[in-house]
Amino acid sequence: QVQLVESGGGLVQPGGSLRLSCAASGSIFSINAMGWYRQAPGKQRELVASITSGGSTNYTDSMKGRFTISRDVAKNTVYLQMNSLKPEDTAVYYCFAEGFTTWSRTFGSWGQGTQVTVSS
């Protein structure tokens, strides 16, 4: 079992910043990739950004230049720095991780989600 715990969501004014964190724990042997999806009311879940164990990053175009994903491999933690936030960034943000457990099984896990609300 691999658990993900997110933190850092909240209410912020347009143009403001937030930093999300997600820590993975459990029977982890290695993590290949971690990242973030988001889901706004009435919309499908969409990829925000991802980062591999080697540090390669991938962003959805609308987040490029405003969001930065980073990772602390030793702590099995991924971060999402969000700047210049817009009302349309309002959503529940979900962390994900995929890799191998200590039993050499693949895993894919999701966090419980953290609410980000951008409003004046």
Side-chain angles (χ1 to χ4, degrees):
Q1 290 284 353
V2 176
Q3 299 81 36
L4 303 181
V5 178
E6 300 140 337
S7 60
L11 173 64
V12 65
Q13 293 186 342
S17 298
L18 280 176
R19 188 190 193 212
L20 306 182
S21 300
C22 172
S25 63
S27 304
I28 300 170
F29 176 74
S30 65
I31 296 178
N32 296 333
M34 298 184 77
W36 299 88
Y37 277 74
R38 71 183 186 185
Q39 188 166 20
K43 294 187 177 181
Q44 290 187 328
R45 190 174 294 193
E46 63 173 345
L47 176 68
V48 175
S50 63
I51 184 167
T52 68
S53 57
S56 297
T57 58
N58 180 45
Y59 296 90
T60 293
D61 286 345
S62 61
M63 288 70 153
K64 287 181 180 178
R66 299 191 299 124
F67 293 5
T68 302
I69 191 169
S70 60
R71 180 175 167 181
D72 187 327
V73 175
K75 294 182 178 180
N76 288 331
T77 299
V78 65
Y79 306 96
L80 184 68
Q81 178 67 42
M82 304 185 293
N83 299 327
S84 302
L85 283 162
K86 305 174 182 180
E88 51 264 43
D89 293 318
T90 296
V92 178
Y93 284 70
Y94 296 92
C95 173
F96 74 90
E98 55 188 36
F100 291 91
T101 68
T102 52
W103 298 287
S104 298
R105 298 282 181 90
T106 59
F107 76 86
S109 297
W110 290 90
Q112 78 284 359
T114 185
Q115 177 70 46
V116 171
T117 302
V118 184
S119 175
S120 55

